[in-house]
Short mmCIF file of all heavy atoms in Angstrom, two decimals:
data_model
loop_
_atom_site.label_atom_id
_atom_site.label_comp_id
_atom_site.label_asym_id
_atom_site.label_seq_id
_atom_site.Cartn_x
_atom_site.Cartn_y
_atom_site.Cartn_z
N GLN B 6 -6.62 10.54 8.08
CA GLN B 6 -6.04 11.52 7.18
C GLN B 6 -7.04 12.66 6.97
O GLN B 6 -8.24 12.43 6.84
CB GLN B 6 -5.71 10.90 5.82
CG GLN B 6 -4.55 9.94 5.85
CD GLN B 6 -4.17 9.48 4.45
OE1 GLN B 6 -4.25 8.29 4.14
NE2 GLN B 6 -3.71 10.41 3.61
N LYS B 19 -0.79 24.09 0.41
CA LYS B 19 -1.67 23.34 1.31
C LYS B 19 -0.86 22.25 2.00
O LYS B 19 0.25 21.91 1.56
CB LYS B 19 -2.82 22.69 0.54
CG LYS B 19 -3.77 23.67 -0.13
CD LYS B 19 -4.68 24.33 0.87
CE LYS B 19 -5.69 25.22 0.14
NZ LYS B 19 -6.54 25.98 1.11
N GLU B 24 -2.45 11.04 10.93
CA GLU B 24 -2.24 10.72 12.34
C GLU B 24 -2.51 9.24 12.55
O GLU B 24 -3.51 8.71 12.06
CB GLU B 24 -3.17 11.56 13.22
CG GLU B 24 -2.96 11.36 14.71
CD GLU B 24 -3.76 12.33 15.56
OE1 GLU B 24 -4.50 13.17 14.99
OE2 GLU B 24 -3.65 12.24 16.80
N HIS B 26 -2.93 6.11 15.41
CA HIS B 26 -3.29 5.86 16.81
C HIS B 26 -2.92 4.43 17.20
O HIS B 26 -3.58 3.81 18.05
CB HIS B 26 -4.79 6.08 17.00
CG HIS B 26 -5.28 7.39 16.47
ND1 HIS B 26 -5.35 8.52 17.25
CD2 HIS B 26 -5.68 7.77 15.24
CE1 HIS B 26 -5.80 9.52 16.52
NE2 HIS B 26 -6.01 9.10 15.29
N TRP B 34 4.33 7.96 3.13
CA TRP B 34 3.45 8.62 2.15
C TRP B 34 3.55 7.85 0.83
O TRP B 34 4.65 7.56 0.37
CB TRP B 34 3.84 10.06 1.89
CG TRP B 34 3.38 11.05 2.92
CD1 TRP B 34 4.15 11.83 3.73
CD2 TRP B 34 2.03 11.41 3.22
NE1 TRP B 34 3.38 12.62 4.53
CE2 TRP B 34 2.05 12.38 4.24
CE3 TRP B 34 0.77 10.98 2.76
CZ2 TRP B 34 0.91 12.95 4.79
CZ3 TRP B 34 -0.37 11.54 3.30
CH2 TRP B 34 -0.30 12.52 4.30
N PHE B 51 11.07 6.15 13.26
CA PHE B 51 11.44 6.87 14.49
C PHE B 51 11.74 8.35 14.19
O PHE B 51 12.76 8.89 14.61
CB PHE B 51 12.63 6.20 15.16
CG PHE B 51 12.33 4.82 15.67
CD1 PHE B 51 12.60 3.72 14.89
CD2 PHE B 51 11.78 4.63 16.93
CE1 PHE B 51 12.31 2.43 15.35
CE2 PHE B 51 11.50 3.36 17.40
CZ PHE B 51 11.76 2.26 16.60
N THR B 55 13.96 8.02 6.13
CA THR B 55 14.86 6.97 5.67
C THR B 55 14.71 6.68 4.17
O THR B 55 15.48 5.92 3.60
CB THR B 55 14.61 5.66 6.43
OG1 THR B 55 13.22 5.30 6.28
CG2 THR B 55 14.91 5.82 7.91
N GLU B 56 13.72 7.29 3.56
CA GLU B 56 13.50 7.04 2.14
C GLU B 56 12.87 8.27 1.51
O GLU B 56 11.90 8.82 2.02
CB GLU B 56 12.57 5.83 1.94
CG GLU B 56 12.46 5.33 0.53
CD GLU B 56 13.61 4.44 0.12
OE1 GLU B 56 14.24 3.83 1.00
OE2 GLU B 56 13.90 4.36 -1.09
N PHE B 64 6.88 18.71 -3.10
CA PHE B 64 6.30 17.90 -2.01
C PHE B 64 7.32 17.89 -0.87
O PHE B 64 8.46 17.44 -1.05
CB PHE B 64 6.06 16.46 -2.45
CG PHE B 64 5.02 16.32 -3.53
CD1 PHE B 64 5.40 16.34 -4.86
CD2 PHE B 64 3.69 16.16 -3.21
CE1 PHE B 64 4.44 16.22 -5.86
CE2 PHE B 64 2.73 16.02 -4.20
CZ PHE B 64 3.10 16.06 -5.53
N TYR B 89 -3.53 10.41 -2.24
CA TYR B 89 -2.34 10.37 -1.41
C TYR B 89 -2.67 9.58 -0.14
O TYR B 89 -3.56 9.95 0.63
CB TYR B 89 -1.85 11.79 -1.09
CG TYR B 89 -1.24 12.41 -2.32
CD1 TYR B 89 -2.04 13.05 -3.27
CD2 TYR B 89 0.13 12.30 -2.59
CE1 TYR B 89 -1.50 13.58 -4.43
CE2 TYR B 89 0.68 12.83 -3.75
CZ TYR B 89 -0.15 13.46 -4.67
OH TYR B 89 0.40 13.96 -5.83
N GLY B 106 -4.25 4.76 5.95
CA GLY B 106 -5.36 5.66 6.14
C GLY B 106 -6.25 5.67 4.92
O GLY B 106 -5.91 5.07 3.89
N ARG B 110 -7.90 12.66 -1.52
CA ARG B 110 -8.02 12.73 -2.98
C ARG B 110 -7.76 14.16 -3.40
O ARG B 110 -8.52 15.06 -3.08
CB ARG B 110 -9.40 12.26 -3.42
CG ARG B 110 -9.49 12.04 -4.91
CD ARG B 110 -10.67 11.15 -5.29
NE ARG B 110 -10.57 9.81 -4.74
CZ ARG B 110 -9.83 8.83 -5.24
NH1 ARG B 110 -9.10 9.05 -6.32
NH2 ARG B 110 -9.81 7.64 -4.67
N VAL B 113 -5.57 19.02 -8.64
CA VAL B 113 -4.84 20.27 -8.92
C VAL B 113 -5.40 20.87 -10.19
O VAL B 113 -5.41 20.23 -11.25
CB VAL B 113 -3.33 20.00 -9.07
CG1 VAL B 113 -2.60 21.32 -9.33
CG2 VAL B 113 -2.78 19.31 -7.84
#
Side-chain angles (χ1 to χ4, degrees):
Chain B
Q6 290 187 242
K19 296 286 185 184
E24 184 172 1
H26 308 268
W34 280 117
F51 294 94
T55 56
E56 190 80 25
F64 295 92
Y89 288 85
R110 192 160 298 280
V113 181

